[in-house]
Amino acid sequence: MPRFSLTLVLAFFFFKSYCFGALQYGFYDGKCGSSDVEDIVHGVVNSWCNIDPTRGFDVIDDAKAAVEAVCPGVVSCADIIVMATRDAVSFSGGGTYNVQTGRRDGLVSLASNVDLPPPFISVSDSIAAFAAKGLNVTDMVYLFGGHTVGVAHCSNFQDRLYNFNQTGGPDPAMDSLLLTTLRLRCPQNSSVNNTANLDQGLLSSTVVDTSFHQQRHSSD
């Protein structure tokens, strides 16, 4: 069964929201009549998993629309994101867990306020970027683990394949087999912006596991 892409998980942790008070399990029980908010979100994520596992915010938009149709103005996007991520992890073989809800959405949402680490950032700079968000190294490692499922567009890393640091050649630190594989997926001067799995394991690219970190460790 296709799996929901988890590449958006990193972005989710940079959204700021406010809480009604203490977060709690089953916060929306009884607040939407006979409708079960978590079941609605679960159903939307399941549907997308069987249609296109690489979609991200489209899933959140659909889940929000489905919830609003039966319970308008009650459930926050922040909580829908948390619930949808939980369900995506479960559908992708990462196990099940409960989430607490009760968040309120922020009052300001501007693209100019988004400050995500770029794909070419060094480890030390990445640690500093996460620290600026109040996150430590352990948080960073956990969030990077979200790349165990998902894809990246060739345009995000194509320079490492053909013109690293304007040298006219590939990144010398890149594994030669990985370089060959990615060049096949991302031909130079292609008019199509293809995607490549973030987890290069043939059997693990759609499964939430530790393979992404294992691959990173083996390449160091």
Side-chain angles (χ1 to χ4, degrees):
M1 180 186 73
R3 268 72 176 190
F4 172 80
S5 173
L6 295 184
T7 54
L8 68 161
V9 171
L10 278 176
F12 292 165
F13 280 83
F14 288 91
F15 277 79
K16 293 183 178 179
S17 59
Y18 303 91
C19 300
F20 288 101
L23 297 179
Q24 57 186 278
Y25 298 109
F27 176 83
Y28 294 107
D29 291 350
K31 291 183 172 63
C32 294
S34 60
S35 300
D36 189 317
V37 171
E38 298 203 21
D39 277 351
I40 294 173
V41 175
H42 183 89
V44 171
V45 175
N46 185 35
S47 296
W48 270 103
C49 283
N50 289 287
I51 297 172
D52 185 350
T54 65
R55 305 309 301 170
F57 290 111
D58 292 336
V59 182
I60 305 302
D61 289 340
D62 283 1
K64 178 63 172 174
V67 170
E68 286 293 307
V70 299
C71 190
V74 175
V75 185
S76 67
C77 283
D79 278 339
I80 288 177
I81 287 172
V82 171
M83 290 184 280
T85 301
R86 172 205 56 197
D87 294 336
V89 169
S90 176
F91 286 131
S92 302
T96 59
Y97 58 94
N98 296 319
V99 296
Q100 295 179 314
T101 48
R103 298 165 184 81
R104 297 177 63 184
D105 291 324
L107 301 179
V108 177
S109 179
L110 299 173
S112 58
N113 289 341
V114 177
D115 182 23
L116 298 177
F120 52 80
I121 196 170
S122 67
V123 173
S124 58
D125 287 342
S126 183
I127 292 173
F130 276 78
K133 300 290 184 179
L135 302 171
N136 59 32
V137 175
T138 300
D139 297 325
M140 182 184 76
V141 172
Y142 275 122
L143 291 174
F144 279 172
H147 292 82
T148 184
V149 174
V151 298
H153 284 89
C154 295
S155 58
N156 289 325
F157 58 86
Q158 200 155 15
D159 60 315
R160 294 189 64 197
L161 307 181
Y162 300 103
N163 190 26
F164 182 65
N165 288 342
Q166 304 298 317
T167 61
D171 183 348
M174 182 175 288
D175 177 83
S176 59
L177 178 59
L178 177 61
L179 175 63
T180 300
T181 301
L182 291 179
R183 278 183 166 180
L184 290 174
R185 186 65 184 165
C186 306
Q188 191 172 22
N189 301 320
S190 173
S191 60
V192 179
N193 192 12
N194 290 330
T195 59
N197 289 328
L198 293 168
D199 182 338
Q200 291 293 305
L202 294 177
L203 301 178
S204 61
S205 61
T206 59
V207 179
V208 172
D209 55 16
T210 61
S211 59
F212 177 80
H213 284 312
Q214 290 172 351
Q215 292 165 36
R216 288 289 302 116
H217 180 71
S218 64
S219 66
D220 292 337

